[in-house]
Amino acid sequence: MALCLTTALAHVGLVFLHVAPSNVVSQRFSAQVDAWIYPLFEQNWRLFAPDPDSVNRQISARTAHTAPDGSVRVSSWVDLTAVDASAIEHNAFPSHTSQNMLRRSWTSYVELHGGDDVPRSDRAVMMQRYLRNIAADRMTEQDGKPFENIQLRVVTLPVAAQGSTDREHRAAAVKNAETRLLPWWKVAPDA
């Protein structure tokens, strides 16, 4: 009971320091507050002023495993976005996590890394690990085979214009699609 109460009070205190105006205490403990808040308890105002995506993203992953004979076996691409979509498609009460975890981690990754995939802050490194771990967990769930490296591919497609036919949309999507291939990331056995 005491542990629960202490954890709840610490959580409320850290969230308060995160959302409160900048002050001496929040500045002094900013590293500890950020470590607690990001990425699970992040606060933003998108509930009241949503900024819907103007593109569709297809996030895929593949893995690499070094066999005992030294050969490297690379898996085929697995569409993680489609896996998420199928998990929520016929669910009357889909979880917020299923709907947004992968998408929000990618958005945060892009905001912190730009186009060159080089982390320039501790938060950028944390978001890279977070995205890598999400992908690694999803790939482990898919086939359960061991792997040491993972790579992500993100295909960005424009949202169809209202009133366009399916054929017009597919033609525009192929013409305007952008593909971003991330570098191979080493995956720790416990990741």
Side-chain angles (χ1 to χ4, degrees):
M1 180 82 165
L3 178 62
C4 244
L5 183 61
T6 304
T7 303
L9 289 173
H11 175 72
V12 169
L14 290 166
V15 169
F16 174 79
L17 289 174
H18 177 71
V19 299
S22 184
N23 59 56
V24 176
V25 177
S26 65
Q27 289 173 356
R28 181 168 181 198
F29 296 105
S30 66
Q32 291 85 353
V33 169
D34 287 348
W36 180 261
I37 296 295
Y38 296 110
L40 299 177
F41 302 114
E42 181 178 3
Q43 303 290 307
N44 62 48
W45 291 97
R46 290 191 179 144
L47 175 64
F48 303 106
D51 183 17
D53 285 337
S54 58
V55 295
N56 289 321
R57 288 188 183 87
Q58 176 191 19
I59 302 173
S60 303
R62 67 179 176 176
T63 59
H65 175 64
T66 305
D69 65 0
S71 64
V72 177
R73 296 190 177 123
V74 178
S75 72
S76 58
W77 289 104
V78 174
D79 186 353
L80 301 178
T81 307
V83 172
D84 283 358
S86 69
I88 64 172
E89 188 172 344
H90 298 292
N91 188 344
F93 302 105
S95 78
H96 180 71
T97 304
S98 297
Q99 296 178 54
N100 296 312
M101 181 184 282
L102 185 62
R103 181 180 59 83
R104 291 275 296 134
S105 64
W106 173 252
T107 303
S108 296
Y109 177 86
V110 170
E111 288 172 0
L112 294 168
H113 286 80
D116 60 3
D117 300 312
V118 177
R120 291 181 178 78
S121 68
D122 289 340
R123 184 156 187 249
V125 171
M126 180 195 63
M127 285 312 300
Q128 182 175 330
R129 284 187 195 136
Y130 183 57
L131 180 61
R132 182 200 63 210
N133 289 345
I134 291 170
D137 286 347
R138 305 272 172 97
M139 291 301 286
T140 300
E141 290 172 4
Q142 286 299 306
D143 64 337
K145 294 179 183 173
F147 57 91
E148 296 87 33
N149 299 296
I150 192 163
Q151 185 178 34
L152 297 179
R153 174 183 70 188
V154 181
V155 179
T156 304
L157 304 164
V159 172
Q162 189 171 353
S164 64
T165 65
D166 225 17
R167 187 177 191 181
E168 291 170 340
H169 173 62
R170 274 184 265 152
V174 168
K175 180 182 174 188
N176 298 322
E178 294 178 25
T179 301
R180 181 168 172 181
L181 195 61
L182 273 62
W184 284 98
W185 290 332
K186 185 83 173 146
V187 178
D190 61 347

